[in-house]
Amino acid sequence: MDKPTPKSANLFQANRDRAAPLLKKLRADGIGHMIDGKIVPSISGETFETKSPVDGATLASVARGNAEDIDRAATAAALAFKSWRDMAPAMRRKLLHRVADAIEDNADDIAVLECIDTGQAYRFMAKAAIRAAENFRFFADRCAEARDGLNTPSDEHWNVSTRVPIGPVGVITPWNTPFMLSTWKIAPALAAGCTVVHKPAEWSPVTADLLAKLAKQAGVPDGVLNTVHGYGEEAGKALTEHPAIKAIGFVGESATGSAIMKQGAPTLKRVHFELGGKNPVIVFDDADLDRALDAVVFMIYSLNGERCTSSSRLLIQASSAEKFIEKLTARVKALKVGHPLDPATEIGPLIHERHLAKVCSYFDVARQEGAVVAVGGKAHDGPGGGHYVQPTLVTGATAKMRVAQEEVFGPFLTVIPFREETDAIEIANDVRYGLTGYVWTNDMGRALRVADALEAGMIWLNSENVRHLPTPFGGMKASGIGRDGGDYSFDFYMETKHVSLARGTHKIQKLGI
Ligand code: NAD
């Protein structure tokens, strides 16, 4: 590992100094639910502990919500709905910009808390709050147009459509980059005029608590954004079953998505799912291989590989494979695993001991299947003794192996060589998932052909994943249902209503004469 430069050593210390009083307060206060504008314990009085992946230290005692708490929150969201829906869009816009201001004002606190709660490295979390604020600003500016519809006149009628918010909605989020992801769901829901009950992941409740408090501080009315903490099978399940909740925006595993669909069926919930991925990055031999290498490394080893859009399968054209893998191996060996608050760190500890065990189990799977663990393949002894893992590179894999089919969700890259364009497409599509695909080639015809053929909701050509908020975000197959972003989000959180006005001239059938 490189020695820290004085600048990075200073920032590391500054981050620790910033985190210390915040953590002290968190331990003293604990985390309660935000229901109807008040921080409250669970009705049952039950709590659970959230621990840091860095050293296993308890960060806070967290209220453990169940169906009773969800009922309170859903009732508050239902009561607040009418006035939030009917608030002038300009006023809603102003309030959502104020939330963005509050997030920006607290960006440094949010960054260090997110690092300690999730193990994500500071270099990636430093901007997470800024991106979250952008989500609020982007949708705040669209509050007025959210209602827009179409004018489709016919011979005898003037037909217009408009959109109205669907009602109180549930938002259920996972533990990877939880602050940014929850704003991605909550901001468009609020801009659309929906009220929200948020159930954050039990492994990362800290910044969800902060978001609820910042929204309240910014003047968002009581009951408009409620947060209930707890386990998926208790609070999460109850939220998906509650009759007052009209839709569920969910980000998480594919299996959980299936469970939510079942749970929501009796109350006919509308669902939007952003689920798992096993995304291919296809590198052809005519590509700019240096840029491709940068993108390949970034898209699987950033954010601890705990990233739905990670390019976890590298499909490399056989003619370039040897050289490319040699360079890739050197880069993976040089990745810096360390404390998440250290700005030099590229990979921090994984979120939880259970997740560490899951990721490590794939090292044996790779060996048993006859693939080669070329780099890594072990847990890592990092600062604090937390859930660190060595960044891992598996070569010599074939398309049907479990390491080429299953989502590992860690810093774990599986390399599969291919010969022709058609082989690459076949291998790329031969998985149950279909979230993203990345293609590297300087043959533009081929880039477009492959983009067309890939079964994935989002394709990047000669690029890593770069999010642009108006574009559709979401997956095909087991990777999801529905799209987020721009107007796509409003389609989910709103009902489209058709209004038809007769010109007064058309013939109406006369019965009973
Ligand atoms: P998870 O499915 O285990 O949990 C996600 C959330 O669902 C948590 O809040 C959890 O408490 C809740 N939950 C669990 N069971 C539930 C139930 N029966 N009813 C209602 N809620 C329930 O996922 P995770 O392990 O927290 O997150 C990792 C997964 O999320 C990965 O598969 C990853 O690919 C996926 N993900 C997808 C995207 C995307 O945009 N497609 C983005 C980020 C993460």
Side-chain angles (χ1 to χ4, degrees):
M1 192 187 285
D2 290 348
K3 283 205 174 131
T5 59
K7 195 172 159 226
S8 77
N10 288 347
L11 185 50
F12 186 14
Q13 191 52 50
N15 284 341
R16 282 195 284 209
D17 292 346
R18 179 174 286 279
L22 297 171
L23 295 174
K24 195 171 166 202
K25 183 160 169 32
L26 196 59
R27 271 184 206 112
D29 294 354
I31 295 177
H33 311 301
M34 171 70 83
I35 299 179
D36 204 14
K38 286 159 216 72
I39 298 287
V40 292
S42 283
I43 293 170
S44 68
E46 284 197 59
T47 57
F48 66 95
E49 289 192 339
T50 184
K51 297 186 176 193
S52 171
V54 180
D55 54 9
T58 296
L59 294 176
S61 163
V62 187
R64 176 175 166 177
N66 63 21
E68 282 183 302
D69 306 291
I70 288 290
D71 185 53
R72 257 165 92 183
T75 304
L79 282 173
F81 174 62
K82 267 195 181 158
S83 53
W84 183 247
R85 177 194 65 188
D86 296 340
M87 180 183 278
M91 186 59 203
R92 252 201 328 262
R93 173 181 183 278
K94 202 166 163 186
L95 284 174
L96 296 184
H97 272 293
R98 274 198 213 144
V99 178
D101 295 342
I103 292 173
E104 279 170 4
D105 291 348
N106 289 273
D108 293 337
D109 288 0
I110 293 167
V112 295
L113 285 173
E114 194 84 314
C115 291
I116 295 291
D117 197 25
T118 66
Q120 294 286 359
Y122 177 79
R123 67 167 61 222
F124 304 117
M125 290 305 100
K127 292 273 177 303
I130 302 302
R131 284 191 62 195
E134 276 168 17
N135 287 338
F136 268 94
R137 293 202 193 287
F138 176 86
F139 285 106
D141 287 339
R142 282 160 182 77
C143 279
E145 71 195 53
R147 294 208 59 181
D148 286 359
L150 289 175
N151 175 11
T152 46
S154 57
D155 287 351
E156 304 287 359
H157 290 78
W158 192 253
N159 300 305
V160 290
S161 66
T162 181
R163 285 187 298 206
V164 293
I166 190 168
V169 298
V171 169
I172 302 179
T173 48
W175 43 259
N176 64 322
T177 60
F179 190 78
M180 207 287 293
L181 270 181
S182 38
T183 61
W184 198 335
K185 296 274 152 193
I186 290 170
L190 296 181
C194 297
T195 52
V196 173
V197 178
H198 178 206
K199 207 303 280 174
E202 52 269 44
W203 286 353
S204 60
V206 173
T207 54
D209 172 53
L210 199 52
L211 177 63
K213 287 174 178 161
L214 291 177
K216 159 111 185 149
Q217 206 180 297
V220 171
D222 293 351
V224 169
L225 173 59
N226 306 276
T227 303
V228 177
H229 298 277
Y231 296 121
E233 302 73 21
E234 294 176 2
K237 182 168 181 285
L239 182 58
T240 62
E241 291 173 343
H242 200 285
I245 297 294
K246 301 302 172 201
I248 297 286
F250 169 72
V251 187
E253 281 191 18
S254 304
T256 315
S258 296
I260 289 176
M261 213 169 212
K262 268 193 218 137
Q263 293 160 193
T267 48
L268 295 174
K269 287 281 182 296
R270 180 184 289 184
V271 292
H272 180 181
F273 289 161
E274 285 175 7
L275 310 173
K278 188 73 178 178
N279 310 299
V281 50
I282 307 175
V283 179
F284 288 97
D285 57 10
D286 65 355
D288 180 334
L289 294 176
D290 290 335
R291 284 176 69 77
L293 180 65
D294 288 342
V296 165
V297 173
F298 176 74
M299 279 310 302
I300 182 65
Y301 297 108
S302 59
L303 299 175
N304 293 348
E306 295 165 328
R307 165 176 206 160
C308 55
T309 51
S310 72
S311 56
S312 48
R313 290 182 294 154
L314 165 62
L315 277 50
I316 175 85
Q317 195 151 23
S319 36
S320 307
E322 198 180 327
K323 257 203 170 149
F324 196 87
I325 293 172
E326 195 183 306
K327 286 186 181 169
L328 175 62
T329 303
R331 293 281 287 272
V332 181
K333 280 184 179 160
L335 287 167
K336 296 174 192 71
V337 183
H339 194 288
L341 290 182
D342 184 345
T345 291
E346 291 168 318
I347 299 185
L350 303 186
I351 181 83
H352 195 273
E353 59 194 356
R354 289 220 303 271
H355 188 57
L356 174 68
K358 176 190 159 182
V359 172
C360 289
S361 74
Y362 279 94
F363 304 147
D364 287 339
V365 171
R367 292 182 188 109
Q368 281 155 13
E369 288 182 313
V372 178
V373 179
V375 184
K378 278 194 197 136
H380 175 86
D381 188 14
H387 316 135
Y388 295 91
V389 67
Q390 294 178 346
T392 296
L393 179 68
V394 169
T395 56
T398 56
K400 293 288 183 202
M401 289 181 179
R402 282 181 60 198
V403 289
Q405 292 283 329
E406 296 174 17
E407 185 184 44
V408 178
F409 218 54
F412 185 108
L413 176 61
T414 302
V415 185
I416 311 166
F418 70 90
R419 293 207 175 278
E420 305 294 336
E421 181 182 315
T422 47
D423 305 331
I425 293 168
E426 197 179 316
I427 298 168
N429 288 339
D430 185 20
V431 289
R432 60 193 285 260
Y433 298 106
L435 189 59
T436 63
Y438 306 89
V439 184
W440 286 85
T441 176
N442 272 328
D443 175 342
M444 283 306 107
R446 171 148 72 188
L448 295 176
R449 278 196 304 278
V450 177
D452 236 14
L454 287 181
E455 294 165 0
M458 295 170 282
I459 313 286
W460 274 271
L461 304 176
N462 294 330
S463 177
E464 79 284 29
N465 171 335
V466 179
R467 181 85 185 102
H468 181 50
L469 287 173
T471 60
F473 187 102
M476 295 181 183
K477 294 158 64 174
S479 288
I481 297 177
R483 297 291 180 269
D484 254 334
D487 209 48
Y488 300 94
S489 299
F490 291 142
D491 264 342
F492 176 69
Y493 291 113
M494 303 181 87
E495 295 279 17
T496 300
K497 192 189 270 187
H498 165 231
V499 180
S500 187
L501 176 68
R503 295 178 210 269
T505 51
H506 71 287
K507 199 170 160 198
I508 301 179
Q509 288 195 35
K510 297 178 190 294
L511 303 183
I513 293 174

